[in-house]
Amino acid sequence: MDPISPLEQALHAARALVLADLAANEVAAADVVSMVEDSVVQRRWWVEQWPDGVAYVAGLVAQDVQDALLEKYGRWPLCPVCGSGDPHALDVEPELGPDPHWVCHKAGVKVAAVGALGSATGGASSS
């Protein structure tokens, strides 16, 4: 059996992390999972063109899915930190870097690592 390439490992990990965050917020419907799969396909091509970007895949897939959800359903994930004012979405930081986190820019805090949103929102755990 051939070993799994670092690219495939990163893509599978990114898929799992984003799906965990979607499940934690109970938005992992079939059409949303398809958005994740579409992003993974696009990011596979992207990393094949720029192999040094493999460490950035999880954050990019999270951003891709966030953008796709915004177009179809609205903001996701909503900030669990700010209890008043208009509901607003979290952002992925760094935009292009390793170790991506969901961040509330309004409160200026890291909320959770991508894949661990359930621990911050009271949803399902990603353990």
Side-chain angles (χ1 to χ4, degrees):
M1 187 160 112
D2 293 333
I4 298 175
S5 72
L7 168 60
E8 289 303 315
Q9 289 176 4
L11 291 169
H12 287 289
R15 177 188 292 116
L17 292 171
V18 174
L19 287 173
D21 285 345
L22 290 164
N25 286 278
E26 299 178 0
V27 292
D31 63 330
V32 177
V33 173
S34 292
M35 292 175 187
V36 176
E37 295 304 322
D38 290 345
S39 173
V40 168
V41 168
Q42 293 170 7
R43 292 304 172 178
R44 178 178 285 113
W45 177 87
W46 182 82
V47 175
E48 287 170 350
Q49 307 309 306
W50 187 48
D52 290 342
V54 71
Y56 310 149
V57 170
L60 292 170
V61 170
Q63 290 174 51
D64 291 346
V65 172
Q66 186 178 40
D67 291 345
L69 282 168
L70 179 62
E71 288 179 19
K72 191 164 184 175
Y73 296 109
R75 293 173 287 207
W76 175 86
L78 292 179
C79 179
V81 176
C82 298
S84 62
D86 290 332
H88 56 278
L90 299 173
D91 294 314
V92 175
E93 291 289 331
E95 287 186 23
L96 186 62
D99 192 28
H101 281 74
W102 293 109
V103 175
C104 172
H105 285 290
K106 188 174 181 181
V109 297
K110 282 185 179 180
V111 175
V114 169
L117 199 53
S119 63
T121 62
S125 172
S126 62
S127 54

